[in-house]
Structures are given as structure tokens and as C-alpha cells.
Amino acid sequence: MFSVVYIICRDMEEAGRIARALVEERLVACANCDVVRSVYRWGGRIEEDSEVSIVCKTTTDRVPEVVKRVKEMHSYELPCITWWSLDGGYQPYLDWVREETLPGHETKGR
Amino acid sequence: MFSVVYIICRDMEEAGRIARALVEERLVACANCDVVRSVYRWGGRIEEDSEVSIVCKTTTDRVPEVVKRVKEMHSYELPCITWWSLDGGYQPYLDWVREETLPGHETKGR
Amino acid sequence: MFSVVYIICRDMEEAGRIARALVEERLVACANCDVVRSVYRWGGRIEEDSEVSIVCKTTTDRVPEVVKRVKEMHSYELPCITWWSLDGGYQPYLDWVREETLPGHETKGR
């Protein structure tokens, strides 16, 4: 089973740093970062800010570790980290996602 | 239970106005707006336009009201408003989403 | 039933070409393209590239054909093509998605 993890970061510097660490540690197979305009309430006021979203593809088995690692690396007190299951995809791509996120491979090919 | 609501708006002005209203009315906890290039058929022709996507995080209970309010505020005859359930996330963030979208809080902290 | 198909393309040229073909062939009702910053491992190295994501809305029935067609048109050996089910949306919009993707309509209105 495969999932998308959707994360919001402070800026592209933080998003790039977190995305690289997740790929490096084989917690996700790939990550797509994008600048967004965010609207939310904080301290009783409506805030509007530029932030950066990350869409990660990984196996559902790896999701709890992804959530834990993103929280550790993130500069926010309360980072937006959410996930949902995929129903499918191009099978050779999904096979690649599985291969890329196998825990036993952590030290290979570096 | 939590969900993503995915909306397409005419431009950043409309997306910002709708996002602020949804957060203000506690229908969603946060909204991320982003310019996209859209392709679709309208009146028998393939159209290509710049539009703006909004990714909202809210509780599944609030989704029907979100859909209704977006339709009311939207300039399109047939706005793209779709949603899907989250499987999970960083629990303190999800707790914050729940807190932010409690209906009884509408008039607090403003 | 309705689904999102999420695709990553080499650049906006490829994304536009694939999006137009999918709409033209009534495999999807609409497609939203967006430049993203991608991070992934390829050939043992962490790569960072600009790519383009496409978010397509279609009926779940059409998804296998969408995956097949995108693979045919895509320049990558192993394109990212993934999909997940929608739980709902603005009903007249979903009705439009169904209408737009009816296989029998392929030659109408052009």
C-alpha cells in the first residue's frame, strides 16, 4: 500500500532540507515542493503568508516514521503534516517507490 | 475524521477572498492557494487558462457546509469543489484543525 | 465514483501536451498543471529538478485508460502516475465530470 504525505513548510529552504533528508533516509521515494499562499488563524488573527507545500510519495508502512522525522526537522511548533492512501498508479512506478523506501537499503549507493 | 477540500478559483483575488471567509467562519482550519495552468473543455472547445487551486484542511463534518459556502461565494457557474478523507497526520496538528473548526467558536477571539 | 490522477511531467510543454490529449480524448474532465521542485534518488544520487505536476479529475472507470495513455505519451522511463478516490464534491460539478468523460462522446462538439 502506498500513500501521499502532504507537508507545509516555512519556505523553500526548509522544504528542500526536509525533502532531501526524507529521500536520503529512504523514508519517501520522491518529494515535490511548491510555493503556496496560506491563510489560517493564529493567536486569534487571520494570517496570510507565503509557505511551501511538499507532496511525498511513499509506502504506507513508512508513514509513521515520516511524520516523526518531519516533526523533528521542522521549525514550526505545530507543523501541518497529513497523509492519505493512494488507490493505485502506474505499477512499475509504484514498484520503484517500494524499492526506494526499503529500510534495509539505507546505506546503499551513497 | 479529517478531509482535504480541493477548490479551483478564477484568480488569486477570488481564492484569497474565499480562503479568508472559510477560515473566518471556522469552516476550515487552513487553506493553501496556488496558481495553476488549467486545461478543460467548455462549450465544445479545449480551453487553457490560468486559475488558482485551494487545498483546505478541515473536519469531515464541516465539508457539506464548506461546499455550500464556496458555491455561494464563487464566480463560476460550475465551480470545481472536490474532497477526500485524510488517513491521518501529526496528531497535535489534527487536534488543532478540530479546535479551529468547532462551530461554537465562531465569534471568539476576533 | 470519481478520482484524482496525479502525474509528474518533465516540463510545462510535456504537461500541457499530455493534459490537452487527456481532455481531448475525454479521459479526464479537467487538468491543473503546476511547476514544482522535485527531490528523488536516481542512479544512487539525490537529484533536484524543476518538473510539472498535473492534477486531473475524472471518473474512476476511466483511470486505467488514463494511466495507459499517460505512459504512452510521457518522455520518462518511469513516470510518476498515481491516483486516489474522491469522497465527494459539488454535485453539479461531479455530474459535469461524468458527462465530459463519457466514452461515447469522443467525437462530439469538435
Side-chain angles (χ1 to χ4, degrees), chain A residues 28-89:
Chain A
V28 311
C30 84
N32 310 112
C33 306
D34 194 16
V35 177
V36 294
R37 184 100 202 131
S38 298
V39 180
Y40 55 95
R41 182 186 283 105
W42 196 254
R45 292 200 335 179
I46 308 291
E47 301 279 351
E48 262 189 82
D49 266 318
S50 175
E51 296 186 309
V52 173
S53 63
I54 317 179
V55 172
C56 300
K57 276 81 72 183
T58 191
T59 52
T60 302
D61 287 353
R62 291 297 240 170
V63 169
E65 255 184 288
V66 173
V67 173
K68 188 169 165 289
R69 275 298 281 145
V70 173
K71 169 56 186 158
E72 283 170 12
M73 291 184 282
H74 206 291
S75 66
Y76 287 2
E77 183 188 332
L78 208 58
C80 171
I81 314 170
T82 64
W83 66 278
W84 60 87
S85 308
L86 293 176
D87 285 275

Side-chain angles (χ1 to χ4, degrees), chain B residues 2-92:
Chain B
F2 299 90
S3 290
V4 163
V5 186
Y6 181 90
I7 303 155
I8 300 288
C9 293
R10 183 182 298 274
D11 54 24
M12 195 53 90
E13 188 282 317
E14 182 169 88
R17 188 169 47 80
I18 288 175
R20 280 189 298 274
L22 294 176
V23 173
E24 189 100 29
E25 298 171 19
R26 295 191 176 275
L27 292 174
V28 310
C30 82
N32 309 114
C33 305
D34 194 16
V35 177
V36 293
R37 184 98 201 132
S38 297
V39 180
Y40 55 95
R41 182 186 283 103
W42 195 253
R45 292 199 335 177
I46 309 291
E47 302 279 351
E48 261 188 82
D49 266 318
S50 175
E51 296 186 307
V52 173
S53 64
I54 317 179
V55 172
C56 301
K57 275 81 73 183
T58 190
T59 52
T60 303
D61 287 353
R62 291 298 240 170
V63 169
E65 255 184 288
V66 173
V67 174
K68 188 169 166 287
R69 275 299 280 145
V70 173
K71 168 57 185 156
E72 283 170 11
M73 291 184 282
H74 206 290
S75 65
Y76 287 2
E77 183 187 332
L78 206 58
C80 171
I81 315 169
T82 64
W83 66 278
W84 60 86
S85 308
L86 293 176
D87 285 275
Y90 175 55
Q91 195 55 51

Side-chain angles (χ1 to χ4, degrees), chain C residues 7-18 35-36 38 40 49-54 74-77 79:
Chain C
I7 303 156
I8 299 289
C9 293
R10 183 182 298 273
D11 53 25
M12 195 53 89
E13 188 282 316
E14 181 169 270
R17 187 168 48 80
I18 288 175
V35 177
V36 294
S38 298
Y40 55 95
D49 266 319
S50 175
E51 296 186 308
V52 172
S53 63
I54 316 179
H74 206 290
S75 65
Y76 287 2
E77 183 189 332

Side-chain angles (χ1 to χ4, degrees), chain C:
Chain C
M1 288 290 296
F2 299 91
S3 290
V4 163
V5 185
Y6 181 91
I7 303 156
I8 299 289
C9 293
R10 183 182 298 273
D11 53 25
M12 195 53 89
E13 188 282 316
E14 181 169 270
R17 187 168 48 80
I18 288 175
R20 280 189 299 273
L22 294 176
V23 173
E24 190 100 28
E25 298 171 20
R26 295 191 176 277
L27 292 174
V28 311
C30 82
N32 309 112
C33 306
D34 194 16
V35 177
V36 294
R37 184 99 202 131
S38 298
V39 180
Y40 55 95
R41 182 187 283 103
W42 196 253
R45 292 201 334 178
I46 308 292
E47 302 280 350
E48 263 190 80
D49 266 319
S50 175
E51 296 186 308
V52 172
S53 63
I54 316 179
V55 172
C56 300
K57 275 81 73 182
T58 191
T59 52
T60 303
D61 288 352
R62 291 298 240 170
V63 169
E65 255 184 289
V66 174
V67 174
K68 188 170 164 289
R69 275 299 280 144
V70 173
K71 169 56 186 156
E72 284 171 10
M73 291 183 282
H74 206 290
S75 65
Y76 287 2
E77 183 189 332
L78 207 59
C80 171
I81 314 170
T82 64
W83 66 277
W84 60 87
S85 309
L86 293 176
D87 285 275
Y90 176 55
Q91 195 55 51
Y93 176 78
L94 296 178
D95 294 343
W96 174 81
V97 171
R98 181 173 301 284
E99 183 69 23
E100 282 299 307
T101 56
L102 283 177
H105 284 212
E106 253 116 341
T107 54
K108 272 200 196 162
R110 298 222 201 126

